[in-house]
Amino acid sequence: MWESIHDLISRKDGRRSWILAGALGCAAVSTAWAEGPPVAAQKPVTESFFGTQVTDPYRWMEDAKSPEFLAYMKQQSDWTRGTLDKIPGRDALEKRIVALDNTATLVRDMQFAGRDYFYLKSKPGAKNYALVMRQGESGKERVLVDPEMLSTQGAHLSIDYFQPSLDGSRVAYALSAGGSEQSTLHILTTATGKDLPDQIDRTNFGEVSWNEDGKSFFYNRLVKLAAGQADTDKYKNSKVYQHWLGQDPETDKPVLGRGLTPEVKVLETEIPDVTITPGSKFALGILINGVQNELTAYIAPLDRLDGANTPWVKVVDPSDDVTSVVLKGDQLYLLSHQDASRFKVLKMSAAAPNIGTAETVVPAGAALIKNIGAASDALYIQDLDGGIAQMRRLPFDGGPLESVTLPVQGALDGLFTDPRVAGPLFSLEGWVVSRAWYRFDPKRGVARDTGILPRSTVDASAYTAEEVKAVSADGTEVPLSIVHQKGTKLDGNHPTLLEGYGAYGITLDPFFGPGYFALLERGGVLATCHVRGGGEYGEDWHKAGQKLTKQNSTSDLIACAEYLIKQGWTRTPELAINGGSAGGILMGGALTQRPDLFRVVIDEVGVSNSLRSEFTENGPPNIPEFGSVTTPDGFKGLLAMDATQHVKAGVAYPAVLLTTGINDPRVPSYESAKMAAHLQAATSSGYPILLRVDYDAGHGIGSTKAQRDHLLADKLSFMFWQFGMPGFVPAAP
């Protein structure tokens, strides 16, 4: 549920009154903050875990609506904004980033229904993504929903997800405010572009599946929390309902969820989903235990979906190590890592599923199998080999498994297939190649550019990327991607931004970010360390950076930083590291273990207080990935990950920029606030520790393009200032 760093670069009425009320009388914040950042009061809370004492001096910050915390955040925000705005070259840099960003149209989440294409699009100069419909690849384009037309100053709306009906006549789409991801589902008719009366709140998970007649759909809905109910219950006990158009959502009947059917055991943390596949007489019921990749799957006849009376039959559970299930007619295809770290594809009958006798149709190999999709002609297999995307197809007519030639070496994303239509739809991009959307034509054997997304006009011909490996502390070779100007001299004199993440088995694939050319055109280097905890080499790579092995992630990042210095790409005074969300664990580990190695650390909406994370609204779903303080090993692992517990007084820490969105539903703002307070109280270096707060944002999901450009300008200008680059160093007072 936390997202990778590249997903980040990507309201509350009455908030101002809260801030003002808090600022009028706050005993927990020093009034001397005008000469520096606010000094947070320490109110120690000590707990004992399996014989180990843990003290949290800033536990009071967890009362996020208290006047004390709101005033502290406002003062931190004002101090940071004032500091960043004094960097001489910052405004000019932002103008350059905006200009670069406006060289590219952005199109994501593309799919088709019949001959119509649906996607989210942000044109040059646009502030946000709009929902767009296009009649064929070369047909007329029409905006269905533009959230900018619905937004108000300081409380923008964003489209969280959408799903057209199977014939394209209607679209379900969700809106949320201020990056909160608190989705409300709407339905529009594509012929008129007008909404139907149907609106359903608490639909945060984009799991809408239409029936073939287009008159009803299945969706997941969260429970409505009662007054005083714990925030940690927010994602528990959700259910799948069937909604008929025109019906009051409060009368919708549940189809799958905890306590509905004795034969279907659903954990309180499992998120249910029901999927309808065109051309099949079966429905899939999927249970996802928070962020755990391995799932539970059930199947039932489509014509017998009847609430608690549905005759669900179990297909797999998490012990089978299946992470994806695809239905094609009366056949099931499953992606599994059981005895196959880089995954294999299994096949079984939908009418009589039996994992014990499933046929292996695509065995594990050297490449990682990332995804599968069923078109009318073949099962398409998305691979990752050495960081480069590949594709194969397994024909349904019994033909042999064959490779698909891709026109771009880089990342493949958005694989979309329809069992009624031949060939998949997908996007391709590289570190220095902008994104385009392709359709594969199985008759001609070629992937052709649809032309729907024009190429960025950024001239990337002067830049290149290379893939190398750094040796980590235990001898493991860690992939490292380096993007730079051609002919760069390895003289150690290049401003360098090193990124990392390392969680959930997520891979950091090549991406084309126009704004980052503001770094590259200054002779800078953009590097990405593919640390353990990610999925670059399969499930073994993921497990090697998880829970008690999480230290490997930090060791890998440190090794990549040392490689860049040793090879002459950069040196410590010009080296910054950047991570976000679960990558905040990585940033905190590197910062506290090797403060001498980096000049700048940028920690975006980061997990800094792991010992307390499971007690947040998004905490329970993340226990499968990070563990729980209720077990000895869980506590041991989380204590090692908790950066706030490893900040030491008197240490010369590098300059640090922490960011948060006040509406963040994934990592609460208090985690970044606590980390800022610890570092500001402890550091002896004199370098700035800044906490950047966005009051119209959350985790970064749903942020506008303007917000993303503004953030990137803050990040790069902060780096350039700390690196001492000409034009970015404020004059001495």
Side-chain angles (χ1 to χ4, degrees):
M1 299 213 189
W2 293 323
E3 301 296 324
S4 74
I5 184 63
H6 296 316
D7 292 326
L8 304 178
I9 63 178
S10 40
R11 100 185 168 187
K12 297 286 183 186
D13 294 337
R15 184 194 308 118
R16 291 182 181 176
S17 64
W18 295 344
I19 293 169
L20 290 174
L24 291 176
C26 176
V29 180
S30 167
T31 58
W33 69 275
E35 287 129 18
V39 179
Q42 297 193 16
K43 304 178 181 182
V45 174
T46 300
E47 298 173 286
S48 179
F49 297 90
F50 308 101
T52 299
Q53 300 290 312
V54 176
T55 299
D56 182 352
Y58 303 114
R59 180 70 58 86
W60 62 268
M61 292 186 182
E62 295 181 21
D63 185 358
K65 294 183 180 180
S66 71
E68 295 170 327
F69 182 69
L70 293 169
Y72 174 77
M73 295 297 280
K74 181 63 165 60
Q75 293 174 1
Q76 284 280 0
S77 179
D78 287 350
W79 171 255
T80 294
R81 190 72 264 150
T83 301
L84 294 173
D85 286 347
K86 289 174 184 174
I87 300 173
R90 190 217 163 277
D91 290 347
L93 179 65
E94 182 167 6
K95 289 180 180 178
R96 178 57 179 157
I97 289 170
V98 170
L100 287 164
D101 214 5
N102 282 333
T103 64
T105 297
L106 304 177
V107 169
R108 62 181 178 87
D109 302 342
M110 188 185 294
Q111 52 186 292
F112 54 80
R115 64 186 298 269
D116 297 325
Y117 287 81
F118 297 84
Y119 45 90
L120 297 180
K121 180 176 182 177
S122 179
K123 296 187 296 186
K127 295 180 180 179
N128 211 339
Y129 284 93
L131 175 58
V132 172
M133 176 183 180
R134 187 185 189 107
Q135 297 177 336
E137 294 177 11
S138 58
K140 184 178 180 181
E141 189 177 80
R142 183 158 56 98
V143 174
L144 297 176
V145 182
D146 184 355
E148 282 304 304
M149 302 298 292
L150 307 172
S151 299
T152 59
Q153 183 66 33
H156 76 278
L157 293 173
S158 291
I159 299 172
D160 295 326
Y161 59 87
F162 69 93
Q163 184 64 53
S165 60
L166 298 178
D167 64 358
S169 64
R170 296 185 176 93
V171 181
Y173 70 95
L175 290 173
S176 66
S180 65
E181 302 177 58
Q182 307 309 304
S183 304
T184 296
L185 192 61
H186 304 258
I187 312 297
L188 66 78
T189 300
T190 56
T192 63
K194 294 185 177 181
D195 278 357
L196 299 176
D198 310 63
Q199 289 190 23
I200 312 175
D201 62 1
R202 306 194 311 276
T203 50
N204 295 23
F205 299 115
E207 304 295 346
V208 171
S209 189
W210 287 88
N211 267 313
E212 292 200 58
D213 61 8
K215 297 179 180 179
S216 69
F217 57 83
F218 299 91
Y219 68 99
N220 178 283
R221 195 178 195 189
L222 302 179
V223 297
K224 185 175 183 178
L225 296 182
Q229 190 171 353
D231 289 343
T232 49
D233 289 340
K234 178 177 179 178
Y235 297 116
K236 295 178 180 178
N237 299 314
S238 68
K239 290 183 172 64
V240 174
Y241 298 83
Q242 183 172 10
H243 178 72
W244 292 86
L245 297 180
Q247 178 175 289
D248 181 356
E250 300 309 316
T251 66
D252 288 348
K253 293 183 178 180
V255 176
L256 184 63
R258 193 171 190 226
L260 279 183
T261 308
E263 294 77 18
V264 179
K265 305 297 183 183
V266 183
L267 302 176
E268 64 177 3
T269 55
E270 286 184 315
I271 302 161
D273 170 39
V274 170
T275 301
I276 305 302
T277 303
S280 177
K281 60 184 180 182
F282 296 98
L284 277 174
I286 304 294
L287 304 178
I288 302 171
N289 186 14
V291 300
Q292 181 177 336
N293 293 328
E294 297 78 19
L295 51 79
T296 299
Y298 289 84
I299 198 163
L302 184 57
D303 60 3
R304 295 186 64 188
L305 293 183
D306 182 24
N309 298 317
T310 304
W312 294 108
V313 174
K314 183 183 284 189
V315 178
V316 293
D317 62 31
S319 67
D320 296 309
D321 295 330
V322 169
T323 60
S324 180
V325 180
V326 170
L327 183 58
K328 174 67 166 66
D330 59 359
Q331 297 295 320
L332 286 167
Y333 293 87
L334 304 92
L335 188 58
S336 172
H337 62 77
Q338 190 160 84
D339 301 320
S341 174
R342 300 191 185 184
F343 291 85
K344 61 187 175 183
V345 180
L346 307 175
K347 176 184 175 182
M348 68 173 71
S349 166
N354 185 342
I355 188 68
T357 59
E359 176 189 1
T360 299
V361 292
V362 182
L368 168 71
I369 303 177
K370 286 193 67 174
N371 197 8
I372 55 175
S376 65
D377 59 300
L379 184 76
Y380 285 85
I381 299 102
Q382 178 184 344
D383 298 325
L384 185 69
D385 191 4
I388 302 300
Q390 296 179 347
M391 184 184 290
R392 291 176 288 173
R393 64 186 297 269
L394 181 66
F396 291 131
D397 63 7
L401 183 67
E402 56 191 29
S403 296
V404 172
T405 300
L406 299 178
V408 172
Q409 283 203 331
L412 188 154
D413 192 23
L415 181 69
F416 177 80
T417 54
D418 184 326
R420 301 167 297 178
V421 181
L425 170 71
F426 54 92
S427 72
L428 291 172
E429 67 184 303
W431 295 112
V432 293
V433 179
S434 66
R435 175 181 287 204
W437 284 88
Y438 294 83
R439 285 285 295 266
F440 177 72
D441 182 348
K443 290 184 177 180
R444 298 175 57 200
V446 296
R448 53 178 177 75
D449 188 341
T450 63
I452 293 176
L453 175 60
R455 297 281 186 181
S456 168
T457 58
V458 168
D459 183 3
S461 61
Y463 305 95
T464 189
E466 55 187 278
E467 307 293 337
V468 299
K469 290 184 178 179
V471 179
S472 195
D474 62 356
T476 299
E477 291 187 329
V478 181
L480 175 62
S481 305
I482 306 174
V483 188
H484 57 89
Q485 288 184 0
K486 294 177 180 177
T488 296
K489 294 181 179 180
L490 301 183
D491 56 9
N493 193 32
H494 302 285
T496 297
L497 179 61
L498 172 62
E499 295 191 331
Y501 185 67
Y504 309 117
I506 289 173
T507 61
L508 294 190
D509 299 331
F511 78 104
F512 185 86
Y516 282 92
F517 284 86
L519 166 65
L520 299 173
E521 65 191 14
R522 287 174 167 82
V525 173
L526 178 64
T528 300
C529 182
H530 306 275
V531 304
R532 280 171 283 184
E536 280 80 356
Y537 288 131
E539 189 60 17
D540 288 349
W541 195 256
H542 172 209
K543 296 295 186 185
Q546 185 193 60
K547 298 178 181 176
L548 291 177
T549 62
K550 192 63 184 170
Q551 175 59 40
N552 287 332
S553 303
T554 300
S555 297
D556 292 352
L557 185 74
I558 290 170
C560 286
E562 291 175 333
Y563 177 94
L564 292 169
I565 293 172
K566 183 178 180 180
Q567 296 299 317
W569 290 103
T570 191
R571 53 196 178 93
T572 291
E574 291 186 289
L575 177 58
I577 56 173
N578 186 190
S581 192
I585 298 172
L586 184 63
M587 295 300 102
L591 169 66
T592 55
Q593 292 178 33
R594 287 297 306 275
D596 60 306
L597 187 57
F598 317 104
R599 184 63 178 80
V600 171
V601 176
I602 301 172
D603 189 350
E604 300 179 58
V605 295
V607 178
S608 300
N609 190 195
S610 300
L611 287 171
R612 297 294 297 167
S613 291
E614 71 181 278
F615 304 107
T616 68
E617 66 179 36
N618 194 37
N622 277 278
I623 289 174
E625 178 71 14
F626 299 106
S628 169
V629 297
T630 60
T631 68
D633 281 349
F635 165 70
K636 182 179 179 181
L638 288 165
L639 177 61
M641 295 180 215
D642 193 316
T644 66
Q645 289 295 317
H646 299 287
V647 175
K648 305 300 181 186
V651 173
Y653 288 106
V656 179
L657 176 63
L658 299 126
T659 79
T660 186
I662 209 71
N663 300 324
D664 195 334
R666 303 186 183 218
V667 181
S669 291
Y670 78 71
E671 292 209 35
S672 296
K674 284 186 180 183
M675 189 63 179
H678 276 280
L679 288 169
Q680 288 168 351
T683 188
S684 64
S685 67
Y687 298 144
I689 309 293
L690 302 182
L691 175 58
R692 182 189 188 275
V693 185
D694 192 329
Y695 286 92
D696 188 30
H699 200 62
I701 315 300
S703 288
T704 67
K705 185 163 66 173
Q707 286 176 305
R708 294 193 297 271
D709 289 344
H710 195 66
L711 173 59
L712 183 56
D714 283 346
K715 288 165 50 175
L716 294 184
S717 61
F718 181 70
M719 282 172 45
F720 294 164
W721 165 32
Q722 293 303 303
F723 293 168
M725 291 176 60
F728 288 90
V729 180

